[in-house]
Amino acid sequence: MRNVKIDEVDELDRDVVALGNDYAQGFTLPPHKHRRAQLLYGATGLMYVSTRNGEWVVPPQHAVWIPPDTTHTVRFVGVTTRSLYIEPACVTGFIKHRRCEVISVSPLLRQLLLEAVDLPPLYESARDRALVNLMLLELAAMPVREFDIPLPQHPALLTLCQAFLIAPSIHDPAERWASALFMSASTFRRHFLRQIGMSFSAWRQRACVVSALALLITGKPVNEVALFLGYDNASSFATMFRRVTGQPPSFYHPT
């Protein structure tokens, strides 16, 4: 089914409903949630997914897993999507993802997603049911990519994190944040770890990597991205980027 809203077909008597949609450049879906879990796959373009707990950048040929009843916002940058909407009872005890996560999409899963969109709404044949079952098995085996930026619940710290994401810098010191929150540096680091579940330096690096990812996908030169993030040169940036993502910056740069 193509260019159909899930609300129109949510009550279909099938564990999995597959939909395909095209979104205009810069189109944003406002905060919403689904009764079913959703696997949102971007065949082209770039997606930004936000919840109250974090932000995710979803590159082409990746997908984001959104658990049932999770309020989220999605901004699309020239995206053609394929989505699976999966009954919560089917997810429980089968899919390991319990929070929003960006996952890799294997060539097999990609082909299954493309094929699933052309299934009849009430698919019946043994072949069609086998395709859906194989798709779920392949989905459960996909690795998670660390393309998320966790966000705190503490209002003042959240404001600082959101300001950082607008102008990220790999050299932004913890002392500046501590001063803004009227804390000592050591108290701030403990506070940050409690709020976000990772150290300030690890979060700062993660935020810079995810910001870089979005810039690279839109065609920014590697050297320009490195300087924007505060690196002295493209080489030091590329070393860090490969260490964190497992791929060189050129892997995500359009050719």
Side-chain angles (χ1 to χ4, degrees), residues 4-11 17 19 21 23 29-40 49 64-74 76 83-88 91 100:
V4 174
K5 296 180 180 179
I6 182 58
D7 293 344
E8 300 171 18
V9 293
D10 185 47
E11 297 304 322
V17 174
L19 302 178
N21 288 281
Y23 293 97
L29 283 173
H32 65 288
K33 61 182 179 180
H34 312 293
R35 182 185 64 82
R36 296 173 180 248
Q38 181 184 13
L39 180 76
L40 177 59
V49 178
V64 61
W65 172 259
I66 304 170
D69 292 316
T70 299
T71 300
H72 59 285
T73 301
V74 187
F76 301 94
S83 285
L84 302 181
Y85 293 91
I86 307 171
E87 282 287 349
V91 172
C100 285

Side-chain angles (χ1 to χ4, degrees), residues 77-230:
V77 182
V79 178
T80 296
T81 69
R82 300 292 182 267
S83 285
L84 302 181
Y85 293 91
I86 307 171
E87 282 287 349
C90 183
V91 172
T92 304
F94 178 66
I95 304 296
K96 61 179 179 291
H97 311 296
R98 297 291 179 261
R99 58 188 293 271
C100 285
E101 291 177 322
V102 175
I103 65 171
S104 296
V105 173
S106 67
L108 174 58
L109 180 56
R110 180 165 59 249
Q111 290 305 123
L112 291 169
L113 287 166
L114 296 176
E115 185 69 21
V117 171
D118 292 324
L119 293 177
L122 292 172
Y123 49 86
E124 290 283 2
S125 71
R127 179 263 184 190
D128 291 347
R129 289 185 177 274
L131 185 151
V132 170
N133 289 334
L134 177 58
M135 188 163 52
L136 292 177
L137 289 170
E138 187 69 2
L139 168 59
M142 291 297 97
V144 172
R145 305 303 304 273
E146 294 183 343
F147 293 160
D148 64 301
I149 305 173
L151 293 174
Q153 299 303 308
H154 186 274
L157 182 56
L158 175 61
T159 297
L160 288 173
C161 289
Q162 291 173 330
F164 180 88
L165 295 178
I166 295 172
S169 170
I170 195 63
H171 299 303
D172 195 5
E175 288 75 13
R176 183 186 72 81
W177 293 53
S179 176
L181 296 176
F182 304 101
M183 298 177 181
S184 68
S186 58
T187 299
F188 165 73
R189 288 189 173 93
R190 291 193 297 270
H191 177 67
F192 194 95
L193 182 61
R194 285 195 303 270
Q195 281 286 312
I196 294 186
M198 60 195 306
S199 70
F200 172 73
S201 59
W203 183 90
R204 181 181 61 190
Q205 184 181 75
R206 172 82 67 83
C208 284
V209 166
V210 175
S211 297
L213 183 69
L215 293 170
L216 291 167
I217 291 169
T218 57
K220 293 287 186 184
V222 174
N223 189 59
E224 186 176 325
V225 173
L227 294 176
F228 173 72
L229 295 175

